[in-house]
Amino acid sequence: MNGKKNKLRSFLLKFTALFFAAVMLTSAAGFTVSAQKYSADDFVHAEGSMIIGTDGKELHIQGMALGNSVWGNPSLPDTSHHNEKTYKELSEMGFNSVRFYINYGLFEDDKKPYKYKKSGFEWLDKNIKWAKKYGMGIIINMHCPQGGYQSTGGGMELWTDKNNQDRLTALWQTIAKRYANEPTVWGYGLINEPVVPMKDTMEQTYEQYNKLMQRITSAIRKVSPYQAVFVEGVGSAVKSDGEREYEYFTPEHSFARINDKNVIYEFHKYDAFYFTHQNTDWAVTKGHTMTYPTEEIVGEDVVNGWVNCEAASKKSSKGNGWSYFQSKTISLSNKANVVTAAVTASNLGEGGTAYFDDITLTEISPKGKRRTLFKADFSGGILNSSPWSEDGSGISEYYDGDGNNAKGCLKISGTTSVYVQNFKRFEMKKGYKYMISGYIKSDSSSPEIRMDMSLSENIRSFDKDYLEEGFMPYVKFSEKHNVPIYLGEFGVISEGFENGRNGVGWVRDMISICRKYNIGFDYHVYNELPFGLYDDYPNGKNEELAKLFGEVLK
């Protein structure tokens, strides 16, 4: 009898051990089965204007984005993008979380809606396991929802096709249900950088976004009562003619006000865009480079957009057809305090051309010392600007031919009226003089190199004060509504770390501003050409940036 009892006891012990082992394995894999009871305090959550961590203390998010190659619309995870060593490396640098980008295509095919792929969830499970091992959290971010990637303005089918909204809501609920009992998952970023169609009124434009965000949040709350929801403001709206409207999308208006106490309001900052996205075709900044900080004007309230101009006159000619031009000097006055480098070409006619090179704006101090404020040799392409044409004719383009210094140059052609291309703008200083010079090659006498003068107030140069000013609308929103805010994306393209342009200084100042106002942040991005800490993991590491993170995050 005792032998039977011992066998029964042994069987029950083995069964119990196996059962709890199965529970633990299932939980580790990301399923909702768990032997532990949770409360809100076990999860990262919003509390007034603060984000509270799992230890009950205020949490300052210091995150790195994992892009997961979402731009390529993958149907399977890119397992070469990063690995367990990534989490170890980031943790050692001082990061406490990752913003984990997902594309809906990792979980669902358009031809098989609501049939979820095992591979996508297994990849998420593995990353959650790695994050937990190194004491980090994960914010799952829907970077590309059904209907298309949003921030480029091409994802309108999310808003015009209700089926896509149904699918997105169902997918989020499925994800939230799977990880409802996983405190390593800090929250869910519902849609990255939303862009919506413009409706008849701004109220209707906002409401289509608000309605979907509330719907998704409510669906998540049915299965996941404790994890935070990250909601971004609408960045812009697409008009019927395809143009984008930005003016009305301030934090106070564009943030969806969700009926939920556990919402974190997310914003992104890439100021100034011509710095963070400099010299690249896809961002339409080819040829435009910036250094941080710089005296170049990046913000102003224009009083008089054009007061006068000073054109350069011909000084000498070269045997290769190029001629050197130099202007007289101008100074600050009560009518003009801003100077802009510019070139013009008028009435060239069909087939007519003008070439420009080595455009140089020089500042001369009261003691006669000269300093180059701006120089364009066009070797990297055309400096991005907004050309103006009186009748809409003409085009400016990069000419990969025999420039003044055997490099490329700027070519303007086909004008039948006045055509002006402005470049960088600078505030004139008291007691200083300004002069412009450069080279022209043309059969026409109309092309000019000149300085345009204007009058502005509240002039801002590209420095830390300007960066901090950009945070203020979000800080005020947080204070007014007593809600937490979070900088979900900021970063600098690889060009910003080259040739002394001081991308590291920009990153350092952005982190400093976040800390001043207790704002969590997330750097874009770990592995990606051209923004990544790595441009081709494990190769192409930005050692300068890595060193900075190691210094300022701990």
Side-chain angles (χ1 to χ4, degrees):
M1 191 70 175
N2 288 334
K4 290 182 178 180
K5 287 183 178 180
N6 289 334
K7 287 182 180 180
L8 179 60
R9 185 182 297 111
S10 177
F11 170 79
L12 290 174
L13 288 172
K14 288 181 180 180
F15 176 82
T16 302
L18 287 170
F19 173 80
F20 280 103
V23 168
M24 293 303 293
L25 285 171
T26 305
S27 178
F31 295 96
T32 57
V33 177
S34 176
Q36 183 174 349
K37 295 290 185 180
Y38 288 101
S39 68
D41 292 338
D42 296 308
F43 293 82
V44 169
H45 61 278
E47 194 171 295
S49 62
M50 295 188 298
I51 300 174
I52 305 299
T54 56
D55 60 359
K57 300 178 181 178
E58 184 174 6
L59 172 67
H60 301 284
I61 297 174
Q62 296 185 162
M64 170 66 80
L66 294 180
N68 292 301
S69 304
V70 292
W71 319 108
N73 292 319
S75 58
L76 293 172
D78 180 1
T79 56
S80 66
H81 178 272
H82 64 271
N83 53 39
E84 181 180 341
K85 292 180 181 178
T86 297
Y87 287 85
K88 182 176 186 295
E89 177 188 25
L90 292 176
S91 177
E92 289 174 348
M93 281 186 188
F95 290 97
N96 59 18
S97 58
V98 297
R99 185 173 182 247
F100 194 86
Y101 296 179
I102 59 175
N103 184 308
Y104 81 95
L106 293 172
F107 303 92
E108 180 189 49
D109 290 327
D110 289 330
K111 293 182 179 180
K112 297 180 180 180
Y114 307 106
K115 302 293 184 182
Y116 300 124
K117 301 176 185 178
K118 185 178 180 182
S119 56
F121 284 105
E122 287 179 340
W123 180 233
L124 251 179
D125 294 344
K126 186 175 290 187
N127 278 267
I128 292 169
K129 181 179 179 181
W130 291 336
K132 183 182 294 187
K133 180 176 179 179
Y134 295 100
M136 302 178 73
I138 282 186
I139 299 168
I140 302 173
N141 174 264
M142 183 61 72
H143 227 69
C144 182
Q146 293 87 341
Y149 182 64
Q150 293 287 296
S151 73
T152 59
M156 293 299 98
E157 289 186 11
L158 174 63
W159 310 101
T160 59
D161 187 342
K162 185 177 180 297
N163 289 328
N164 285 325
Q165 297 185 11
D166 294 342
R167 289 169 56 192
L168 177 59
T169 303
L171 177 56
W172 264 128
Q173 188 175 62
T174 301
I175 293 171
K177 182 177 181 180
R178 186 180 184 94
Y179 302 114
N181 289 337
E182 183 48 80
T184 303
V185 176
W186 286 2
Y188 307 113
L190 303 188
I191 298 179
N192 183 72
E193 297 181 353
V195 176
V196 299
M198 178 68 80
K199 298 293 187 180
D200 292 337
T201 67
M202 290 309 301
E203 289 75 14
Q204 292 171 337
T205 301
Y206 296 132
E207 181 57 27
Q208 64 187 320
Y209 178 62
N210 297 349
K211 185 177 179 180
L212 181 58
M213 294 303 95
Q214 183 65 65
R215 179 185 176 189
I216 294 174
T217 301
S218 298
I220 288 174
R221 286 293 171 251
K222 290 179 180 179
V223 296
S224 176
Y226 302 131
Q227 278 145 328
V229 169
F230 290 76
V231 176
E232 297 185 39
V234 178
S236 64
V238 178
K239 300 179 183 178
S240 58
D241 60 3
E243 292 295 316
R244 300 273 287 272
E245 173 62 68
Y246 296 93
E247 181 180 358
Y248 299 100
F249 295 92
T250 63
E252 188 60 40
H253 295 99
S254 65
F255 275 126
R257 301 309 308 280
I258 306 300
N259 183 21
D260 189 277
K261 294 181 179 180
N262 196 12
V263 175
I264 297 169
Y265 291 86
E266 178 179 337
F267 64 102
H268 298 174
K269 298 295 289 181
Y270 290 98
D271 295 337
F273 187 80
Y274 285 142
F275 175 75
T276 61
H277 289 70
Q278 61 185 281
N279 197 28
T280 183
D281 288 323
W282 58 268
V284 200
T285 59
K286 187 64 177 177
H288 193 125
T289 60
M290 289 183 72
T291 299
Y292 177 79
T294 179
E295 295 172 58
E296 180 179 350
I297 293 175
V298 287
E300 60 188 312
D301 297 330
V302 177
V303 177
N304 189 341
W306 193 86
V307 174
N308 204 343
C309 67
E310 181 67 41
S313 58
K314 186 176 178 179
K315 298 298 182 182
S316 62
S317 297
K318 299 171 69 173
N320 59 2
W322 287 93
S323 297
Y324 175 70
F325 288 73
Q326 181 179 300
S327 74
K328 296 178 181 179
T329 60
I330 61 171
S331 302
L332 172 71
S333 71
N334 60 356
K335 294 183 179 180
N337 59 359
V338 172
V339 59
T340 307
V343 298
T344 71
S346 303
N347 302 309
L348 294 174
E350 185 177 352
T353 56
Y355 301 88
F356 301 85
D357 208 355
D358 294 324
I359 310 300
T360 305
L361 182 63
T362 302
E363 180 185 75
I364 306 170
S365 74
K367 293 184 178 181
K369 185 177 181 180
R370 297 191 174 197
R371 181 168 71 104
T372 298
L373 286 179
F374 161 74
K375 183 173 182 179
D377 62 11
F378 304 106
S379 58
I382 299 176
L383 287 164
N384 188 75
S385 62
S386 299
W388 176 83
S389 172
E390 189 174 48
D391 65 0
S393 68
I395 185 173
S396 58
E397 56 189 327
Y398 173 67
Y399 179 68
D400 188 13
D402 186 14
N404 177 57
N405 289 312
K407 299 178 181 179
C409 59
L410 172 66
K411 174 184 176 181
I412 296 178
S413 60
T415 65
T416 56
S417 64
V418 178
Y419 185 97
V420 182
Q421 182 155 1
N422 292 316
F423 301 122
K424 298 189 178 184
R425 302 165 60 76
F426 296 88
E427 183 176 13
M428 292 189 280
K429 295 186 290 190
K430 185 177 181 180
Y432 286 72
K433 297 179 180 180
Y434 299 85
M435 179 183 72
I436 197 162
S437 60
Y439 289 83
I440 298 175
K441 183 169 72 171
S442 179
D443 294 332
S444 170
S445 61
S446 74
E448 289 183 334
I449 298 170
R450 75 187 200 192
M451 294 179 287
D452 285 354
M453 290 162 274
S454 58
L455 182 66
S456 290
E457 297 176 343
N458 192 26
I459 296 172
R460 285 92 75 196
S461 298
F462 187 39
D463 54 20
K464 187 177 181 180
D465 288 340
Y466 170 75
L467 296 181
E468 187 169 348
E469 178 187 2
F471 279 75
M472 291 304 98
Y474 302 96
V475 171
K476 291 177 181 178
F477 176 86
S478 173
E479 292 173 346
K480 179 179 178 179
H481 300 286
N482 193 30
V483 294
I485 55 175
Y486 155 71
L487 177 58
E489 278 189 35
F490 75 111
V492 180
I493 201 167
S494 58
E495 289 270 3
F497 296 93
E498 298 175 0
N499 300 317
R501 294 177 190 144
N502 196 29
V504 162
W506 184 92
V507 175
R508 185 189 298 274
D509 283 350
M510 289 289 285
I511 292 175
S512 173
I513 295 167
C514 285
R515 286 182 167 161
K516 178 177 179 179
Y517 295 100
N518 293 322
I519 299 171
F521 56 83
D522 194 287
Y523 189 82
H524 175 86
V525 59
Y526 180 72
N527 177 27
E528 174 196 300
L529 184 68
F531 268 89
L533 176 64
Y534 289 88
D535 61 30
D536 184 21
Y537 180 79
N539 303 310
K541 185 177 183 180
N542 186 332
E543 296 289 354
E544 185 182 23
L545 184 59
K547 181 180 178 182
L548 172 70
F549 288 141
E551 292 173 352
V552 303
L553 295 184
K554 294 184 178 180

